Amino acid sequence: MTGGNTDESLARMTIRASSGVFGWMRQCGVRFQPSLTGTLNLGRTNAFFLGGGKALVNAYYLTAEKLGVDVLYDTEVIALNMDDGAVRSIDITYRGFPETVHARCVVASAGGFQANLDWMRQYWGDAVDNFVIRGTPYNRGRVLKNLLDQGVAAIGDPTQCHAVALDARAPKFDGGITTRLDSVPYSIVVNQHGDRFYDEGEDVWRNVTRSGSADRATTGQIAYSICDSKAFPLFMPSVYPAIKADTIEELAVKMKLDPAKVAETIALFNKAVKPGQVFDNLKLDGNATEGLTPNKTNWARSVDKPPYYGYPLRPGITFTYLGVRVNDKAQVMMENGQPAGNLFASGEIMAGNILGRGYLAGFGMTIGTVFGRIAGQEAARHARN
């Protein structure tokens, strides 16, 4: 998935360590539930938390409180002040007032810069104005930039980010998973001109991810997913209702597309669908088109059974890949190749060590869990010495 853009030893270590986290998570109050069935093969890729991500976080906070951990809310880290490869003090604002704190060890888990549109603009230009940020507006990369400016080694491509197809009607920030659209593999996707522009059937999870990447490259960073009543029950819908019509032309008009062009695109697609193999939405079924550029390589079926459904799509940015380099003890590495004296990192701010590009379902959470534990253990050990 990464095309070789990974630290293989850290990737393998993370995979091995992930098999042992479930017992520990349960000890921290996390509860799991069975995955949904019948869509996107979720049972073989994801573990689901009873009550969702908020319940997961609440369980961890409750456990931390029982352990005597103090959590400072309404607090922003302004700067980690480093000298000779170690953090000497931390400037914060606490409930609006500036303060300086000191610690024997620091674990940086402050995420990337996907909500910092000015920083994103350096790599994507004005296209960022049409991006949707799936999470918090506060992931602005202040800690990441502060560390990189002080000689911490960088890793990951700043021009890359994990993106998925979101409903274009989603809010700019904090729309969450309910605005994600999984319709792409079972539909055709057109740009503003009514043309198909990439293979919707490449793979389920690659498709969900790469459709977001493809949306980033389209004019206005918007695309349109179109399917018929055969395909509509096969995916989890967006929180926003689908646009519905009895004819393709009527649907195109409702989506403000050229009805003649969209009808022509779908007619050509239907004609190119190769008959023969049995459709199977739970695996790569080989049902493909022939003679199109690009062809759809799986789940290709004629779009011909009304009513028809459409969704507008925009790229939903999950996280950026630029981060700080770490070793297998989660120690932050300096540009001179030496580990920082008392600085560790976990989560998105160091995920670029493993995810240089691409994405595996659930792996961001896995990296956070595995390296969160390693960073905590190593920081505690270092602080006691």
Side-chain angles (χ1 to χ4, degrees):
M1 182 61 75
T2 66
N5 271 330
T6 185
D7 182 320
E8 184 175 341
S9 63
L10 292 184
R12 291 188 180 279
M13 186 190 77
T14 305
I15 292 165
R16 287 194 302 269
S18 71
S19 65
V21 300
F22 287 96
W24 175 81
M25 293 174 76
R26 289 188 175 96
Q27 290 173 11
C28 292
V30 177
R31 296 294 177 262
F32 295 90
Q33 65 180 9
S35 64
L36 295 170
T37 59
T39 59
L40 291 180
N41 296 318
L42 293 172
R44 67 178 176 86
T45 57
N46 289 45
F48 284 81
F49 311 116
L50 184 63
K54 184 175 287 188
L56 169 81
V57 171
N58 288 344
Y60 282 154
Y61 273 106
L62 182 60
T63 300
E65 183 180 328
K66 291 177 180 177
L67 292 171
V69 175
D70 293 324
V71 179
L72 302 184
Y73 295 97
D74 299 318
T75 303
E76 183 178 9
V77 174
I78 303 302
L80 303 180
N81 302 310
M82 299 188 70
D83 181 44
D84 195 25
V87 178
R88 304 303 177 184
S89 64
I90 306 156
D91 295 333
I92 65 173
T93 56
Y94 175 56
R95 296 182 177 176
F97 293 92
E99 290 192 23
T100 298
V101 295
H102 301 267
R104 292 183 181 179
C105 284
V106 176
V107 178
S109 302
F113 63 95
Q114 61 269 22
N116 188 332
L117 299 186
D118 290 335
W119 194 350
M120 292 277 286
R121 197 182 306 276
Q122 295 177 30
Y123 309 109
W124 290 98
D126 291 339
V128 299
D129 293 330
N130 297 315
F131 291 175
V132 179
I133 312 305
R134 301 179 69 194
T136 173
Y138 303 113
N139 240 338
R140 298 184 55 79
R142 182 191 289 271
V143 171
L144 172 62
K145 188 175 190 310
N146 174 249
L147 292 177
L148 296 181
D149 287 346
Q150 296 183 84
V152 165
I155 196 165
D157 187 346
T159 70
Q160 296 295 309
C161 55
H162 176 251
V164 302
L166 289 194
D167 195 303
R169 296 164 290 185
K172 185 69 173 178
F173 297 98
D174 266 341
I177 198 169
T178 60
T179 62
R180 191 185 76 191
L181 276 169
D182 299 333
S183 62
V184 171
Y186 313 121
S187 68
I188 71 164
V189 178
V190 300
N191 59 22
Q192 284 180 303
H193 306 294
D195 294 312
R196 289 180 61 250
F197 55 95
Y198 88 117
D199 177 8
E200 305 95 336
E202 184 178 13
D203 198 350
V204 173
W205 282 112
R206 285 188 186 184
N207 216 304
V208 171
T209 299
R210 292 188 183 180
S211 60
S213 301
D215 291 346
R216 297 203 307 260
T218 59
T219 304
Q221 291 69 57
I222 192 164
Y224 303 85
S225 170
I226 298 172
C227 69
D228 64 9
S229 57
K230 299 193 302 294
F232 189 66
L234 299 179
F235 55 87
M236 293 180 290
S238 165
V239 69
Y240 299 96
I243 301 167
K244 181 179 177 182
D246 291 326
T247 68
I248 291 294
E249 290 84 355
E250 181 187 357
L251 182 67
V253 169
K254 287 184 176 182
M255 293 194 294
K256 299 181 179 178
L257 298 172
D258 182 337
K261 178 60 179 178
V262 173
E264 177 189 8
T265 296
I266 291 180
L268 290 172
F269 177 86
N270 291 347
K271 186 177 179 180
V273 172
K274 293 191 298 185
Q277 299 189 54
V278 176
F279 177 85
D280 188 345
N281 66 301
L282 298 181
K283 66 178 184 180
L284 300 174
D285 67 355
N287 283 304
T289 59
E290 189 173 49
L292 295 179
T293 304
N295 279 307
K296 184 173 182 178
T297 53
N298 290 284
W299 308 298
R301 289 196 296 179
S302 297
V303 182
D304 57 8
K305 185 177 180 182
Y308 301 97
Y309 300 88
Y311 291 99
L313 310 176
R314 286 200 187 278
I317 311 303
T318 315
F319 57 82
T320 45
Y321 287 115
L322 178 65
V324 299
R325 187 181 294 275
V326 298
N327 62 16
D328 59 359
K329 295 182 178 180
Q331 289 176 288
V332 171
M333 304 299 293
M334 304 301 293
E335 289 178 340
N336 62 9
Q338 297 299 309
N342 63 346
L343 178 61
F344 302 82
S346 69
E348 186 184 320
I349 199 170
M350 50 67 56
N353 289 269
I354 300 167
L355 292 174
R357 58 177 289 189
Y359 190 65
L360 294 173
F363 209 60
M365 290 286 293
T366 305
I367 292 172
T369 305
V370 168
F371 272 88
R373 294 185 72 193
I374 294 172
Q377 290 163 351
E378 293 297 328
R381 183 179 295 114
H382 189 282
R384 287 196 300 264
N385 292 335

